[in-house]
Each structure stands twice: as structure tokens, then as C-alpha cells.
Amino acid sequence: MDVNQAKQEHLLALKVMRLTKPTLFTNLPVTCEDRDLPGDLFAQLMREDPSTIKGAETLMLGEMLTLPQNFGNIFLGETFSSYISVHNDSNQVVKDILVKADLQTSSQRLNLSASNSAVAELKPECCIDDVIHHEVKEIGTHILVCAVSYTSQFGEKLYFRKFFKFQVLKPLDVKTKFYNAETDEVFLEAQIQNITTSPMFMEKVSLEPSMMYNVTELNSVASGDEGESTFGKMSYLQPMDTRQYLYCLKPKPEYAEKAGVIKGVTVIGKLDIVWKTNLGERGRLQTSQLQRMAPGYGDIRLSLEVIPDTVNLEEPFDIVCKITNCSERTMDLVMEMCNMRSIHWCGVSGRQLGKLTPGASLSLLLTVFSSEQGLQVRCKLPEATF
């Protein structure tokens, strides 16, 4: 939609067109069996149709390209390109022509003009052309403001503007979930849904971790020398389809032993998503910094570091527990062992563990045995009192 600010007749004409790639021509094939009344008529017509593929006439996609018939949709993360042309429709020589293009969003106004210098003169039937590009980073209403100022041959300074209003839509719906492991590992599940009307080729979905974490992608399975994507070789996302991506974050070695630091970390990182649509148009989105709820460890954190997967019935086995002082004061620890119905501790209960300074850790080698067969889903760890 465009609105002229000035109602007078101007010597120059302004035209603005959006630049988009064409689409493949589609047709609706009509077929029938040979014994039906039309016989081979439909097949012959499709063979003679220049828009069909020879030898594959029943495919909807053809060999021809279709030029855009309307403005189309603009999605967040795509590059908006526009062609601006100023033509001298008069029989006069116009001087000092300045063409300016600004993009007004809900939060800012951006200058998209390649050059801010004026053109000395423009002869009749000549034109000034410019192509502007802008990576769209906001959703909602955008207004392209094109302003033209010039001087007539009689020295009169003239000016006019045109406004082109369009909406920027959201292409993807991204939802995230965090899972805190018993250790300091954090698992991130990202659900990405294509909410456009055309399929997408997902070129890259990666997690850029914060400075305290290293990340491991869990979206492939081992197959030979290289991992194979869990989504197959052709990474297409159809309209309204959803994919789930999984990542594991581990604290860097220099932060892993700092319990107080890791305890308060809520910023995990941000997702970087790159896709392509239609004939290779690329889009890119980066989420804001993803934040999780900080785990509530309390003053003392007790975790299992080493435990065997399988043990023999009524045969002692060793486990390694780690006690971390997450408080800001020194703790004097005493360990008390409490047996359960199927798990029994071997050792002395009530023994002194000594003092543990803030942020320090203590590893304990303990011996237990099981009195029942089967999978043990819960085991009560030793109680540390202070």
C-alpha cells in the first residue's frame, strides 16, 4: 500500500518493487484409465503441454518458472530486497536528485540507501536505479519510506515521499525445556515447528553455549566413521511439522569445581537456526539467551560419581559419593548411614568427615550390597549432618 504525501504533479515518477526469486510452475494433472471414455486424450494433452516434464507428465511440478504475482510474505530472519527506480517522465532536465530509503519498524528507523549523495542531473526519459537489502530482525509492521528531492530547471526545489507498508511474520515456533542431571550436566530439548505454508530445508540448528559450558549435540547416531543424523539425509521440515533437538551441556573444567558459581548459573546459551526455502532463499534466526531455573542444591550437595550398572545379589560392591559445600561457611560433617529394605551399607555409621570449606568437595568410597533381585530405582544415600 502506498500513500502520496503531495497531491501535485511531479516531474519524476517513483517505482518500488520487491525482489524475490520465482517459483516452480505447478499444474494439476488429470488422468484416466485406457478403458475409460476419454481414452488416451488426457495423456496426449499433457504430453503436448509445454509446462510439463517430458516423460513425467503426471508430476505437479513443471520445468517452467513463475514470476511473483503479488508482494508475498516476509518472514523474520529473511533478507528483504527491493528495487527502487526514479524515472524522469517530463521533458525537462532535473537537477540535484536525492533518493533516500528508510525502513521504519516498531522500535527503530534504519537508513537503507546505498548512497546519500545527490545525482547532478537527470535527463528526460532517464532513470536512477537502486537495490536495497535488509535482514529482517523484528516481527510486526514495517514501513518502507522512499523520499525523493530534486530541483527543476527553473530552480524550484520539490520533494515527495511514498510509504510502503508490509507485515513481517514469524516463520518458526521454538520451545525449550531444561533437564538438570544429578551431576552438573544440563540437557536442553528444543522443539522447532515450521509455521509457514512451504517446506524448509534445515541447514543448521546449533546451540552456542555460554562461557561456562561446553556443548555436545545429541542429534546423530554412530554409523561408520561419521555420525548419521537422526532426521535422515534429507533434512526437510514440512509445514506445521515439529522436530526435537537435544543438547548436553557440561561445565568447563575451570568452573566444574566451583560449586557456588555453577549453582547460580541460569544463562545457558542461544540457539542458531539456519534454513532455506523455495529456490534457496536463506533465513536465519538467533534466539535470545536461554535461561533455566537454577537448581536448588541447598548448603550441602551429595551426588553419586561412580556406581556399577550390574551387581551380584548379597555381594558387596563399591560406590563413590561426592559431597560439595555449596554454602558460604565451613561445614563440620558427620556421616550417618541408613539402610533401606533392599540396600544395606557396610561400614561405620556416625563417623566424622572433618571440616569442609566453602566451595570444596570431598569424595567418599563406600561399600553396599543388595538383598533383593531386580532393578533398584531408588537408593537412599548416606546422611551428612553438621
Side-chain angles (χ1 to χ4, degrees), residues 118-156:
V119 178
E121 66 176 21
L122 186 64
K123 297 180 180 179
E125 300 301 325
C126 293
C127 61
I128 301 173
D129 300 323
D130 190 16
V131 177
I132 58 175
H133 303 280
H134 174 67
E135 184 179 347
V136 182
K137 298 181 180 180
E138 296 182 40
I139 61 174
T141 303
H142 287 57
I143 302 176
L144 180 63
V145 183
C146 298
V148 180
S149 61
Y150 61 97
T151 304
S152 67
Q153 65 180 5
F154 303 107
E156 182 182 6

Side-chain angles (χ1 to χ4, degrees), residues 322-340:
K322 183 179 180 181
I323 301 176
T324 305
N325 185 358
C326 298
S327 69
E328 297 179 355
R329 63 185 187 277
T330 301
M331 298 288 185
D332 192 3
L333 303 179
V334 178
M335 184 180 67
E336 295 183 358
M337 297 178 174
C338 301
N339 293 328
M340 297 182 65

